[in-house]
Each structure stands twice: as structure tokens, then as C-alpha cells.
Amino acid sequence: MATVLEDLVVSCARKIQEIILEEANLIIGVKEELEKLVPIMHRIQSILNDAEKRRTKESVNNWLSDLKDALYEADDIIDLARLEGNKLLPDHSLSYICSESFICSSFFRCLPNIQRRHHIAVRIKNFNTELDKIWNHGEIVLKLQKMQPSTEIPAVQRVKTWPLVEPNIVGREILHACRELTELVLKNMGNTTYKLGIVGTGGVGKTTLAQKIYNDDKIKGTFNKRVWICVSQEYIEIDLLKQILRNFNVPYQLDETPGELARKLEEATENKSVFLVLDDVWKHEVWTNLLRIPFGTAATAIVLVTTRSDSVADAIGVEYKHHVDFMSPEVGWDLLRKSMNITEDIEVQNLRNTGLEIVHLCGRLPLAIKVIASVLATKGRNENEWRKVMSKSAWSMSNFPNELSGALYLSYDELPQHLKQCFLLCALYPKDFGIHRDNIVRFWIARGFVQKQEDQDLEETAEDYYYELISRNLLQPDPRFLADYSRCKMHDLLRNLAQHLSGEEFFYGDSYSLEDKYVSKLRHISIVPSKGFLGVQKELVGVRTFICHKASEVDNTIFRRLKKVRVLDLTGSTIRHIPRCIRHLIHLRLLDLDGTDISCLPESIYCLVNLQILNLQKCDGLHSLPYGITRLWNLRRLGLQGTPITQVPKGIGGLKLLNDLSGFPIGGGGDNGTKMQDGWNLEELSHLSKIRRLDIIKLERSSPCSTYPLLDKYHLKELNLECTKRKGEPYSEEDVINVEKIFEQLVPPRNLEDLVINQFFGRNYPPWLEIKDTHFSSLKYMQLRGCKSCVQLPPIGLLPNLKYLKIKGANAVSKIGPEFAGYRVGNHRSTEAVTFPKLETLIIWGMPDWEEWTFGAEEEATTASKERGSEDGAAEIQQAEEAPCLRMQLPRLKELKLNKCPKLRALPQQLGHIATSLKQLHLTSAGSIKLVEDFPFLSGCLQITACHGLERVSNLPQAQELRVVGCPRLTCVEKLASLRLLGLHESMQEVSSLWLPGLQQQCSELHGEDLDVVIGHDDV
């Protein structure tokens, strides 16, 4: 498409302008030829729109194809010119390459400097001539007309949190269908096998309905096991079986056959009740030939199938079919306006008729309505602007698949140029794949899709792109990661759109299908090996992106067949050896070897001079890094987390662009006079001024520094400080003193947003955590894990922007008092400020000796008076009354979870009254708590599990859900006026008979309907 070509032209022109100004270019003497390219690029850009309109003509289509090939060639030449020019710079790092016994690029082997300069110049001149011919052919022969290049659409303002609009936000039909189908499922629990089908066109909401049924509390509480499988057109039998076995926590070997896996599945389902969802089924054989027999051993197997085809549902033999209808016009209008946050009555009235027309254009499909809402959000809220959108040619594209034209294509076409290629690249992931924000951001950077912005790192700009695609509904955030939307998925129709737009440049499938494909035009390949083995016989000379999913074995010749690759992702494969020939991949920007079986890297890796991202995480056999890594001057990310590195090269500080370093291992000191050492020291961080993310491990091995190594890291956003967990002999007193000194010196900068302290074994937290001012005003996320020797928690209540706090494994803490909130006697600011002003999630986990939790001094004294007697107690109360109390605490707390705190006697008396935003309260294994009462603002769910001492739950007037498991002494539950759902473990039936009738009567009297009671075998 012309839109993709326009991106390539703009990107190529930008790179040429950059290299013109570089010193290396002056040395090889090609400035004049490069300068000639820029105006040609701009002239070509001016005729692209006309070429796109006429691309149905074979001659024009061929011209566009030739242009695209030329632009890719230009990108290769720019890399080579920069590489060879840099080699000629005096004292430049790349001169090191030339001095070795082998040269990275065989193209220039043994050529003297003068010949290299000449050859680069000739190649650029020839390319200049070729591009001029392409321009002349387009203008003179094809008579393509100059048109104004497409204008940029302003980027959506960066927003990381916003209210999500579900596809069925106003879907009464969906809710009704969910209840009906859920009841049908439960009614047929007596059958050995019962199959239901949800049938409808793409984007109509089949998966949404199936998800509601799957997550229904009655379904959760009824079945021993629930399994959700996304099947899709491209499913591979062996992968599908493995995915189901993982759901059952059944281990398997990588080389097991489908028959062996099926037998394991038979054993796993035997005599169990199973609810199986097969989403997006295109072929009935997935049930009739593959899964029918393995699930036949279940005591009850309820199978819910979603499909676009009635014939597929019939072939599977469903006993009941539900057809998902198109949205009614009014419901579609409600979805459209609420997606755009149109709430003012006057706007609703003025735009209603036009909005109904747009809903009709969208075919009354939820997905289409949502994406067109995102397009309209970039326009003015008036009829004229909306009608301009309605008049776009995208609504009537004759040469485009019907289900992809209209709103879906328009949502792509209206994207800013910098987002189009980013969107297309997302289609390389498998259907229903959970896309990690950090991974896709790195892909975009490695492919050169991210435009440099002033005063912003590429990673920050790329994250802006990611959140903008989410805000435009082109990526769907995973509801499990709503805190920062760090995971997302791509709807299958949008994925189909991206694949269609990529055309002959894109391949997704198994390597055997690749052998039958014409590969000369391929640029992006995503392989799902059908038999676990990845072997490619063809030369993939033009491929820029190569991703392999779930390969059990990789043929090493792959490195010889991808000479121009920019992104090479072999995550999770069992590749053991990286050959020396990897040095020829001079264009490579991203190399991902996470989770592979490699045991070493070749020294020739230093030849990858353009490498920006190197992922080596969770490589259990890798213990050392080659010295050549310190020569990767363009490296931005080095991932080592979970890899047992024991030997590293000196000189990590020379990587000036490095901004993401995970698994930075601290060495034990000492200098053996070689280039290698057993770990890095903190002093080597001093030169890494760009660092944004830093994960330091083995801190117990460090020695005190002469400076504060982190304080001047002004770009640092995420920091993990970790000591090694010692299983046998405890750390000595000397070790404790040393680690406390080390942590004292690791003062983070003011701009830090995310802090994790893990396995710290000092007795006192570092003093910089004793917040006395707003030094950490940007901190949003904090985790304190495994700090087993600290007897008090740090006073962090005055952190102004802290949103998430998790404390786990604080074994020595027996009491949490007002000091945790930041209260200090004599500190008047602490008594006047709102404490934990923005905290939304508080998780406290694994505190075996924690007995008491109080907020204010007055409450603390009252509690003590009850325990110590009247005289001492009266004195403490008087002292507390003289001390000022905190004004407000936890005003935004939404979720509170306490787990494995067996000695905690009670929740704070004030908690229910000050936590005015509380929606979720979960108590697990808190056996000493007897009462949960007086939470007037708790509006969501109270979940109580294994609290054996709990006797009473009372006065939760807004709570809508109560879930109870393993509370045999709970004899009183009352005053839950808003309760609509009660989940009980089957072991609770006897004791619940004391209060369940009262709750049922209350629900009937107040709401005129029965209380929804779910009794289950597992957690409810």
C-alpha cells in the first residue's frame, strides 16, 4: 500500500539527511551523491497517492513494487556506508574490527581503504541513477500526478490510565444471552458430554459472550477445571494439545507425539467435570478428530464453541446454537458515544442522527463501532466533521475484503504515519497472543519505526506509540494488567487487516509452508514450527524480521540465510550453539535468545555493530559473556535476568547508549589481570548515564563505593535491588553491616517511578526510604520482598504519587503502627498531610509474626489499654490525645489483600471509614482475625479464605459480592444490604445455614430478586 511506501520514503530520507552530517560520511566522500537522493525522495513521495489510486493497473503496481525494493536497498546501503565510514575514523571503536583476523562484511574483505571508499561511492551513485529512473518512469511514462502528501494527524496525548469501554458496555442482549446459556450449561451437568455453539459474523461479539460465560461465578464454582483455547485457522494439533495440558498442569516432553499427548489428556480429564471453550473454530476436526476422545473420559465435559459457520457447529454436533445478532441501532449509538465520552445532553442530541448513520455504516458490529469512535475522537464533535469521515472512500473499496473494509481499514488509514508500520508489525504474533509492551516497543525501535523526539528517549516515544494504539482500540489491553496496560492482544479481524495490508511482504505459518512460497519479496516472517523443528532451506535475502515461536530445535544454517535481518527472535527454542558466522549479520538490531539452551556466545558477536537489543534471559546453560559485548556501541538493552552469569567482561561502562540492563551481577572484587571478572562492580555504573531500567543482583558481594552510584542517573525510572537468597547458613554479622552500608549508598534519583527491594537481609531499611520530604515525588510502584530481618516497615506514607505497594516476606515485623504512614512525633507536616494519598493497591503477604495493625496514635493507645490494664492504659490514652492525629489516610485505596498473616488479630478500627474508595478486600490465611465489620464504603467484593478464627462479618452496606472458603467458625453474617452474589465452598454449607436464610430474605425484600448463591468444590 502507498501508506507503507510513504513511511519508507520518509524514513529513508530522514536517514540520508542524518548520515550526510556524520563525520564518517565526509571521510568516504559520498556527501554529494547522498544529497542528490533527498530531493528525488521528496518528488517520489508527491506522486505516491496517485499511484495508490491507480494500483489496479499492472504497470502501476509493478512500479510500486520496484520502488519498494529500491527503498529497502537504500536502507542497506546506508548501513554499509555508516559501517565502512566508521571503520576509517581514527581511534574509532570499529577500527578494532578491522584489526582482527576476520572481517565482519565479506563484501569488503582485503580491500584497501581507497577501494572501500570507491566501492561505496559507486554503489550510491548507481542507486541514485536507479531511483532517478523510477521517478522518471512514474512521472513521464505512467503520468502519475503530484498530490499533496498526507498530513500528519496530531498524536493522542499520552495517557496510561483511562476508563475502558467494553464491547458490551450497553449490551443488554449480551447479558441476557449470558444468563440463558449459563443456566443451560448448569442444567446439563448430568450429561457426560454437552456441546453448545455461539455463531455469528466476525467482530459481532461471540468471544465477548463466551468470556462472560467462562468467567461467570456459577461456572467457576461448578467445574473441577475450566479451559479456554483459541483455535483459529492456523492451529497446529500438537501445540493445541500441549496448551490444554498446561492448563491441567500436566508435564510433557518436547518430542512427544500427538497420540502420546492425547493419552495424557485422557488421564487428566478422567472422572473430572470440565468446562472447555473452543474459541474461533474454523474446522470441525479440532473436536471430532482431535479432542472428542481425550475428553470422553471426563465425568462431565461441557464444550462451548464459537464459530462464524453454522456448518462447523453442526458438524461438531452442538445440541444448542445461539446466534449473536448485530447490535440494535440504539445500542450501537450508546456504544459509539460512550466510547468517545460524549455525555452532555446537547451533544448527544445534536449528534444522535449522524451517529446512527455511522452505526449503520459499521454494520452494527461492536468492533467496527469502537474503532470508528477512535477515528472520530481525532475530529471535531460536530456533524460536518463526522460526515467528512462518512464520505471517505474506505467505506466502498471494491478490491478489499468486505469484513476488513469500512471502519476497520479507515481506523488504519487515519493513523499518523509513524504508527502504521508499528500496527502492521503486531500481526507477526500468533492469534490471541499476549503481547508484552516492552517486547513490541523494542521491535519497533529495532526496525527503525520510532522517530526521535527532542528530550525523549526512543523507548519513551515508542511507549507513547503503544498507548496510542490502545487508545485507538487497535490493541486491546489485557484486563489482568490494567494498572499499566503492559500486556495487550490484537483482535483477530484487526490482525487479518494488518496481514492483508502487508501483502507479499508478510508470512505467518510453519516452515514447510514457507518452502512453497515465493520468498524474494518477503520482509517479515513469523514461524510456528508444525513439528517442533525449524529448518529453512531457501535463501531469505530480503527478510528484515524473523520470529520463531515454540521451536524445539533450530537449524544453525538459519544464520547464513538471513543476511539482511534486523530482528531475529528465537525465544524458547532449544538452540544450543550460535555459530561464528553470526558476525555477517551486520544489519541486526535485535537478537532475542531468551529461554534457549545456549551455553556460550561467540567472540565474533562484536561484529554486530548495529545491535541495539540483546536478550539472554533465563538461559540456564549460559555462565559467561564474551568480551566482544563491550564493543557493541549501539546496544540499548542487555537482558540477563534469570541467567546464572558468573563471568563478565570488564568495560560495561563503555556502552554509552545502554539504558535497560536486567540481571546486572555484582562481582566479588579482585583483579586477576585479565579482561574478565566474576561480576561487575557498582563503580562501573557511573558511565551509564542513559540508564532507564536497572536490575542489580548479588548485592551482598559488593564493596562500599566512593560515591553514590545511582543518584545522578536522571533517566532512571525502574530499579530492582536484589541480594541472593541464602538457603543454608545465614549471613554473618559482617555481611549484615556491609549490605546496610551498600544500600545506604544506593540512593535513587528523584525521577524514579518503580522500586523493588528483594531479599535485603539488613536489620534496617536504608535511610533514604525514611521519607522526610518529596525526594521520591515520582515513585508510583514499590515492592519490598523477602526483607526478613527488618523489624519495622519504612515510613513511606507521605509518598505523594505511590499507587501500588506490595510487602512480602517481612518475617520480623510484629507491629505496623502510625510510623508506617509517616507519622513522627515533632514532625508537624506528617500530622497535617494526607497519607498514602494516591495508593490504589496494597498487598501484604507472608508475615508470620505480624500481630497488630493500627493507624493513629490514639487508636494504638486504645488497643494497648485493653491489653495492659486500666492505669497504664489511661496514661497511654492521655499521651495519645496530646499527640496530633493524621487527618486522612488511604483515600484512593481500591484493593487490599492480606495473605498468610496468621497472627494478625484485627484490622484497624478506622480502616473501613477512611478507605472510602475500597472495592476489593481479600483475606487469606489470617486465622486470628475474628471480626470483619464496619466497612461502609466497600463496594465490590469481600473474599475470605482459610480464616479459621473468623466469627462475624457485619455492616458492609455497599458490598455486592461475598466469597467464603474455609471459615468453619463464621456463625454470623449480617447487614449486607447490597449483596447480590454469595460464593461458598461446599465445606461451608453447614455453618452458612445459620445466616444464609437471612441474607436471602434480605435480598428478596430489598431488591425483589433471589440472592445468587454459588456453591463450589474449589475456590469460589
Side-chain angles (χ1 to χ4, degrees):
M1 306 297 284
T3 49
V4 175
L5 271 172
E6 192 170 357
D7 292 340
L8 287 173
V9 171
V10 171
S11 173
C12 200
R14 186 180 70 247
K15 290 178 180 178
I16 291 171
Q17 288 171 329
E18 289 173 355
I19 196 173
I20 285 172
L21 301 176
E22 293 179 5
E23 183 183 358
N25 165 65
L26 298 177
I27 291 179
I28 59 176
V30 293
K31 181 179 179 180
E32 184 177 343
E33 288 297 328
L34 287 172
E35 287 177 336
K36 290 179 183 179
L37 286 172
V38 177
I40 301 177
M41 292 282 188
H42 291 318
R43 290 201 299 271
I44 287 176
Q45 186 183 1
S46 69
I47 62 176
L48 278 178
N49 284 334
D50 187 39
E52 171 58 23
K53 291 180 179 180
R54 297 164 55 187
R55 71 176 298 132
T56 51
K57 293 184 178 180
E58 184 178 357
S59 58
V60 177
N61 203 45
N62 290 338
W63 181 84
L64 288 170
S65 180
D66 291 342
L67 174 59
K68 188 181 292 187
D69 291 342
L71 292 172
Y72 282 126
E73 167 70 3
D75 200 39
D76 293 339
I77 291 176
I78 291 169
D79 265 5
L80 289 170
R82 181 174 281 127
L83 172 66
E84 294 305 319
N86 283 330
K87 285 181 182 179
L88 301 175
L89 290 175
D91 300 324
H92 192 274
S93 59
L94 293 181
S95 62
Y96 169 80
I97 296 174
C98 302
S99 67
E100 294 296 313
S101 59
F102 52 86
I103 305 298
C104 290
S105 177
S106 59
F107 188 83
F108 295 105
R109 186 172 295 149
C110 302
L111 288 177
N113 289 348
I114 188 67
Q115 289 179 296
R116 291 182 189 172
R117 299 179 196 180
H118 177 70
H119 200 99
I120 287 288
V122 169
R123 189 166 177 180
I124 293 175
K125 185 175 183 179
N126 290 341
F127 173 75
N128 214 336
T129 302
E130 179 64 24
L131 197 62
D132 199 43
K133 286 181 181 178
I134 292 174
W135 156 251
N136 288 327
H137 186 74
E139 184 188 41
I140 298 171
V141 180
L142 301 178
K143 299 188 182 305
L144 297 174
Q145 300 298 309
K146 293 181 181 180
M147 299 178 67
Q148 187 68 25
S150 57
T151 56
E152 282 291 270
I153 300 168
V156 174
Q157 183 178 358
R158 186 178 195 184
V159 181
K160 288 193 179 181
T161 57
W162 54 85
L164 290 175
V165 181
E166 294 295 335
N168 60 327
I169 187 170
V170 286
R172 292 180 294 274
E173 299 95 335
I174 291 283
L175 295 175
H176 175 75
C178 178
R179 293 193 192 100
E180 178 183 333
L181 293 176
T182 299
E183 292 302 324
L184 197 58
V185 168
L186 299 175
K187 182 180 177 181
N188 286 277
M189 278 295 293
N191 297 341
T192 303
T193 304
Y194 183 77
K195 302 179 289 294
L196 306 89
I198 298 177
V199 183
T201 190
V204 77
K206 302 183 299 296
T207 299
T208 299
L209 175 56
Q211 286 172 337
K212 278 199 162 293
I213 298 168
Y214 182 81
N215 291 316
D216 188 277
D217 292 292
K218 291 181 180 179
I219 299 295
K220 287 181 179 179
T222 300
F223 291 89
N224 297 128
K225 194 68 182 176
R226 295 175 305 133
V227 180
W228 180 288
I229 300 296
C230 181
V231 182
S232 77
Q233 286 176 285
E234 310 104 348
Y235 81 88
I236 297 171
E237 290 187 357
I238 197 166
D239 286 344
L240 208 65
L241 290 167
K242 289 178 179 179
Q243 186 180 352
I244 297 173
L245 287 173
R246 287 195 296 272
N247 272 271
F248 280 93
N249 297 316
V250 175
Y252 55 83
Q253 301 299 317
L254 290 174
D255 57 352
E256 288 191 72
T257 65
E260 292 169 331
L261 296 171
R263 283 191 289 275
K264 285 191 172 184
L265 183 55
E266 285 186 58
E267 297 172 2
T269 60
E270 188 173 4
N271 298 325
K272 289 186 174 66
S273 59
V274 182
F275 183 64
L276 172 67
V277 177
L278 299 176
D279 185 36
D280 195 26
V281 176
W282 290 74
K283 301 173 185 176
H284 67 84
E285 289 85 357
V286 70
W287 173 256
T288 55
N289 293 355
L290 183 64
L291 299 178
R292 179 177 56 86
I293 292 177
F295 278 91
T297 60
T300 297
I302 305 293
V303 184
L304 178 62
V305 176
T306 74
T307 180
R308 301 185 188 187
S309 170
D310 276 290
S311 60
V312 169
D314 292 337
I316 287 175
V318 299
E319 282 88 348
Y320 181 86
K321 271 193 293 187
H322 173 83
H323 288 87
V324 182
D325 295 327
F326 300 111
M327 277 188 158
S328 68
E330 287 297 335
V331 169
W333 164 236
D334 277 350
L335 176 58
L336 180 69
R337 69 177 182 83
K338 289 183 178 180
S339 296
M340 299 177 63
N341 198 29
I342 297 175
T343 56
E344 296 292 332
D345 290 341
I346 187 67
E347 282 189 319
V348 173
Q349 183 179 349
N350 290 340
L351 294 170
R352 180 179 178 277
N353 291 336
T354 311
L356 287 170
E357 291 182 49
I358 291 174
V359 168
H360 178 73
L361 277 175
C362 292
R364 292 186 282 150
L365 295 171
L367 176 64
I369 293 170
K370 287 185 68 178
V371 296
I372 204 62
S374 302
V375 172
L376 294 173
T378 67
K379 315 295 181 183
R381 286 190 183 180
N382 59 71
E383 184 177 355
N384 288 338
E385 290 294 322
W386 284 23
R387 291 205 174 274
K388 287 180 184 177
V389 173
M390 294 170 64
S391 66
K392 297 276 187 179
S393 60
W395 299 103
S396 56
M397 298 172 67
S398 58
N399 59 341
F400 216 71
N402 286 336
E403 66 176 11
L404 303 181
S405 61
L408 297 191
Y409 175 71
L410 192 57
S411 67
Y412 167 80
D413 196 44
E414 288 285 317
L415 283 174
Q417 280 189 11
H418 60 268
L419 289 182
K420 287 177 178 175
Q421 291 276 46
C422 295
F423 169 75
L424 297 180
L425 196 65
C426 295
L428 289 169
Y429 290 104
K431 185 180 183 298
D432 204 44
F433 185 84
I435 301 174
H436 193 297
R437 175 197 60 205
D438 297 339
N439 289 339
I440 193 66
V441 157
R442 291 168 190 145
F443 275 18
W444 294 339
I445 291 172
R447 286 295 292 112
F449 297 160
V450 182
Q451 299 175 7
K452 177 65 178 173
Q453 301 293 321
E454 190 175 355
D455 299 326
Q456 196 173 40
D457 291 331
L458 287 177
E459 287 75 12
E460 289 180 293
T461 304
E463 286 177 8
D464 287 348
Y465 293 3
Y466 173 84
Y467 289 114
E468 187 169 350
L469 287 175
I470 286 180
S471 73
R472 290 174 177 267
N473 291 308
L474 296 176
L475 295 177
Q476 301 172 329
D478 189 325
R480 296 172 299 173
F481 299 91
L482 293 184
D484 59 358
Y485 300 141
S486 59
R487 305 287 196 285
C488 70
K489 294 185 178 182
M490 194 177 204
H491 192 282
D492 59 324
L493 281 180
L494 291 169
R495 181 172 176 268
N496 293 345
L497 172 68
Q499 291 181 353
H500 182 80
L501 290 170
S502 299
E504 60 186 0
E505 291 195 350
F506 179 95
F507 175 82
Y508 178 91
D510 61 58
S511 53
Y512 296 97
S513 301
L514 181 63
E515 295 302 318
D516 299 327
K517 193 172 178 67
Y518 184 60
V519 299
S520 66
K521 298 292 185 180
L522 276 179
R523 299 292 181 263
H524 310 291
I525 294 180
S526 185
I527 295 286
V528 182
S530 58
K531 298 180 181 179
F533 175 75
L534 173 63
V536 179
Q537 303 304 317
K538 293 186 176 182
E539 292 293 325
L540 304 173
V541 291
V543 171
R544 261 68 177 162
T545 307
F546 190 95
I547 303 174
C548 179
H549 306 276
K550 305 173 184 176
S552 59
E553 188 176 348
V554 177
D555 185 353
N556 280 345
T557 60
I558 193 73
F559 295 98
R560 295 188 177 92
R561 303 186 189 281
L562 294 165
K563 295 177 181 177
K564 296 182 181 180
V565 71
R566 267 71 172 169
V567 172
L568 180 56
D569 185 353
L570 300 176
T571 301
S573 69
T574 57
I575 186 170
R576 295 176 176 84
H577 174 65
I578 306 298
R580 290 177 67 236
C581 66
I582 196 175
R583 67 184 183 271
H584 297 304
L585 305 185
I586 61 171
H587 301 285
L588 191 63
R589 264 75 172 174
L590 185 152
L591 177 60
D592 199 329
L593 298 171
D594 282 352
T596 59
D597 290 346
I598 61 169
S599 58
C600 66
L601 291 173
E603 195 63 46
S604 60
I605 197 170
Y606 67 75
C607 292
L608 307 181
V609 292
N610 286 303
L611 194 66
Q612 296 174 312
I613 294 115
L614 177 59
N615 282 333
L616 303 169
Q617 300 183 132
K618 298 180 180 178
C619 298
D620 295 336
L622 183 63
H623 298 282
S624 66
L625 300 178
Y627 181 72
I629 278 184
T630 62
R631 301 283 179 170
L632 301 176
W633 309 111
N634 286 302
L635 200 65
R636 306 178 69 87
R637 148 85 178 175
L638 177 59
L640 302 173
Q641 192 176 49
T643 296
I645 297 293
T646 56
Q647 286 291 307
V648 299
K650 297 175 182 177
I652 188 72
L655 304 180
K656 305 297 184 182
L657 296 181
L658 193 64
N659 62 41
D660 187 343
L661 180 50
S662 72
F664 181 90
I666 297 297
D671 191 342
N672 57 11
T674 69
K675 295 180 179 179
M676 303 298 289
Q677 54 192 4
D678 63 353
W680 290 300
N681 61 65
L682 292 174
E683 303 284 357
E684 291 183 82
L685 292 172
S686 60
H687 301 291
L688 301 179
S689 59
K690 302 283 188 181
I691 201 77
R692 294 178 70 243
R693 292 178 176 171
L694 180 60
D695 170 27
I696 308 177
I697 63 173
K698 303 182 182 180
L699 271 165
E700 74 282 352
R701 305 183 74 194
S702 182
S703 301
C705 306
S706 58
T707 60
Y708 294 94
L710 302 180
L711 194 55
D712 63 347
K713 300 295 179 281
Y714 303 116
H715 299 277
L716 187 62
K717 304 293 185 184
E718 300 178 21
L719 175 63
N720 178 39
L721 303 174
E722 183 173 331
C723 299
T724 305
K725 185 177 181 179
R726 185 170 287 185
K727 297 180 180 179
E729 182 182 351
Y731 285 104
S732 67
E733 182 67 21
E734 182 181 355
D735 291 333
V736 171
I737 294 172
N738 181 67
V739 81
E740 288 184 347
K741 287 181 179 178
I742 297 303
F743 271 73
E744 282 181 21
Q745 294 180 318
L746 294 175
V747 184
R750 290 178 176 270
N751 44 280
L752 192 71
E753 295 181 2
D754 191 333
L755 173 66
V756 178
I757 296 180
N758 198 2
Q759 303 302 325
F760 172 67
F761 54 88
R763 297 190 185 92
N764 299 292
Y765 284 99
W768 44 263
L769 265 182
E770 297 186 10
I771 309 301
K772 297 177 182 178
D773 53 27
T774 57
H775 180 80
F776 296 116
S777 59
S778 299
L779 197 61
K780 297 177 182 178
Y781 309 96
M782 181 185 291
Q783 296 187 58
L784 306 174
R785 304 193 306 230
C787 303
K788 298 181 179 180
S789 300
C790 296
V791 295
Q792 278 193 332
L793 296 179
I796 54 177
L798 299 182
L799 288 171
N801 287 299
L802 189 65
K803 291 175 57 178
Y804 177 95
L805 175 61
K806 182 174 183 178
I807 300 166
K808 184 175 182 180
N811 293 6
V813 174
S814 61
K815 175 182 174 182
I816 297 178
E819 70 285 342
F820 177 53
Y823 170 76
R824 285 285 188 274
V825 176
N827 184 353
H828 296 292
R829 179 182 175 274
S830 70
T831 63
E832 296 172 357
V834 176
T835 58
F836 295 108
K838 293 187 179 179
L839 189 67
E840 296 179 0
T841 301
L842 174 59
I843 300 172
I844 302 179
W845 187 307
M847 292 178 55
D849 291 332
W850 182 29
E851 299 179 4
E852 183 181 334
W853 185 12
T854 59
F855 283 140
E858 185 174 347
E859 179 187 358
E860 187 178 21
T862 303
T863 303
S865 70
K866 294 178 180 178
E867 298 176 359
R868 299 187 182 180
S870 58
E871 291 185 6
D872 292 341
E876 291 188 12
I877 291 175
Q878 181 180 357
Q879 181 181 359
E881 289 174 347
E882 294 173 357
C885 292
L886 296 170
R887 284 186 177 181
M888 186 184 297
Q889 299 192 42
L890 303 168
R892 296 193 186 181
L893 187 67
K894 296 178 181 178
E895 183 178 35
L896 173 62
K897 293 183 178 180
L898 306 181
N899 195 337
K900 295 184 180 179
C901 304
K903 294 183 180 180
L904 181 63
R905 295 191 293 268
L907 298 174
Q909 296 176 11
Q910 302 174 9
L911 179 60
H913 296 278
I914 62 177
T916 55
S917 302
L918 193 61
K919 294 183 178 180
Q920 305 285 331
L921 175 58
H922 295 188
L923 304 175
T924 303
S925 299
S928 298
I929 293 179
K930 295 183 178 181
L931 305 175
V932 178
E933 58 183 0
D934 297 332
F935 280 83
F937 301 104
L938 177 61
S939 59
C941 176
L942 170 63
Q943 181 169 317
I944 308 170
T945 304
C947 294
H948 302 291
L950 187 66
E951 299 173 357
R952 179 186 180 93
V953 173
S954 177
N955 194 23
L956 285 69
Q958 294 192 53
Q960 297 187 26
E961 298 181 23
L962 173 64
R963 304 173 185 273
V964 187
V965 178
C967 301
R969 299 181 183 178
L970 183 57
T971 57
C972 178
V973 179
E974 61 180 7
K975 299 181 182 179
L976 280 73
S978 300
L979 193 68
R980 299 297 182 89
L981 173 67
L982 175 64
L984 295 173
H985 188 265
E986 58 185 2
S987 64
M988 293 292 300
Q989 290 187 71
E990 181 177 349
V991 71
S992 66
S993 65
L994 300 173
W995 39 265
L996 178 55
L999 294 180
Q1000 291 172 319
Q1001 181 181 354
Q1002 171 188 269
C1003 187
S1004 178
E1005 292 175 353
L1006 294 178
H1007 307 294
E1009 60 183 42
D1010 293 338
L1011 178 66
D1012 206 352
V1013 181
V1014 178
I1015 299 177
H1017 308 289
D1018 301 313
D1019 289 352
V1020 293

